[in-house]
Amino acid sequence: MCIWTISAGSPAEDDFSAYAQELHLRWGIGQNAPEQRKSQDSKSCLRLGASSRYFTVPDCIYRRHPRTDEYMYTSEEALKGPLQPGDRQVIQTLLEALKRFVQPDDCIICPLGLGRHVDHRLTRRAAERLGWRLWYYADYPYVLQDKRRLKHMEQAGWMKQVFPITQEGLAAWQDAIAEHSSQISTFWESELEMRQAVSDYLQMNGGIRLWRKPST
């Protein structure tokens, strides 16, 4: 198993937007935030017994329009708003990168884009252009605020499969999330609250759910 982190690239310069600097402060990490988050992600993958691969697309809060050089996503609302026209080339670049690494017998699991985070949606668009038969996962914890879309998918004929998770698997998932220490405050008040929330989520669903589009 290999976990691919798409938006792992470092910005070209350290002149961050005011919004990015605000997030760095909230996360409790310095100006080299991309590298610190990549380090946290690497440790998280090890907790799951997975290898890791990092792509060069910068996180949306660092991306600039290729012509105007202006930051494209400078607020919480922008992160969940429309994909900016300046990201069209990013999708194509990402598609070409994916093609270099995908093997014929690979099973690809990509985000549904629940919660409308722009990087999740960008990743899904690129993955779907591969022409692969994809599995999709619900973006946790964003899915907790976007349950209606899952219901609509099932009504539209999407296939759902539940994969049971053992107690050891649950502990590994909780430990993996805990390695992302800079991200805990975005979703939970504490690590303890996170661990309880993940346990409740798995119990509610009976495991991890994956989806496939209806066959055409």
Side-chain angles (χ1 to χ4, degrees):
M1 178 176 66
C2 185
I3 298 174
W4 293 5
T5 302
I6 301 302
S7 301
S10 296
E13 52 192 84
D14 292 337
D15 181 23
F16 299 118
S17 69
Y19 179 58
Q21 293 181 59
E22 175 189 326
L23 291 178
H24 292 175
L25 184 62
R26 188 177 77 190
W27 296 340
I29 49 182
Q31 294 295 81
N32 63 337
E35 289 305 313
Q36 290 187 55
R37 293 181 69 186
K38 188 185 295 185
S39 175
Q40 292 175 1
D41 187 85
S42 178
K43 294 175 182 176
S44 176
C45 291
L46 288 175
R47 290 282 191 177
L48 294 170
S51 59
S52 54
R53 173 168 283 137
Y54 298 97
F55 289 76
T56 58
V57 176
D59 190 285
C60 62
I61 64 172
Y62 306 124
R63 292 203 296 275
R64 295 173 181 260
H65 193 285
R67 290 198 306 273
T68 67
D69 204 37
E70 295 179 353
Y71 287 104
M72 293 188 291
Y73 304 99
T74 57
S75 68
E76 194 74 21
E77 293 73 25
L79 262 62
K80 299 178 181 179
L83 281 173
Q84 294 298 306
D87 263 343
R88 290 172 183 165
Q89 184 55 46
V90 173
I91 295 174
Q92 183 61 33
T93 299
L94 176 55
L95 173 60
E96 295 304 319
L98 293 175
K99 286 179 178 178
R100 289 198 298 271
F101 293 112
V102 170
Q103 300 298 314
D105 58 348
D106 282 346
C107 174
I108 304 174
I109 306 172
C110 87
L112 281 167
L114 302 179
R116 295 191 55 77
H117 191 292
V118 65
D119 283 341
H120 296 215
R121 288 182 284 144
L122 182 147
T123 298
R124 176 174 172 176
R125 288 194 185 186
E128 289 180 337
R129 291 186 184 183
L130 283 170
W132 231 255
R133 182 108 163 98
L134 304 173
W135 283 99
Y136 295 83
Y137 68 86
D139 319 54
Y140 180 84
Y142 299 102
V143 61
L144 300 178
Q145 285 78 48
D146 207 357
K147 295 178 182 178
R148 287 187 303 171
R149 283 185 60 193
L150 294 182
K151 191 170 294 185
H152 291 160
M153 284 165 44
E154 293 178 15
Q155 292 171 347
W158 282 61
M159 184 187 78
K160 177 181 71 175
Q161 186 167 345
V162 179
F163 295 84
I165 302 296
T166 64
Q167 285 300 309
E168 291 79 8
L170 168 60
W173 189 17
Q174 292 167 323
D175 291 344
I177 294 175
E179 292 290 356
H180 292 273
S181 55
S182 63
Q183 302 300 289
I184 297 294
S185 64
T186 301
F187 304 106
W188 302 283
E189 292 295 327
S190 66
E191 181 182 327
L192 181 62
E193 182 183 22
M194 174 275 291
R195 289 180 177 275
Q196 185 60 55
V198 172
S199 178
D200 292 344
Y201 178 70
L202 283 181
Q203 184 174 6
M204 176 178 65
N205 295 309
I208 293 291
R209 298 174 295 172
L210 297 181
W211 285 263
R212 265 187 169 161
K213 287 184 177 181
S215 299
T216 55

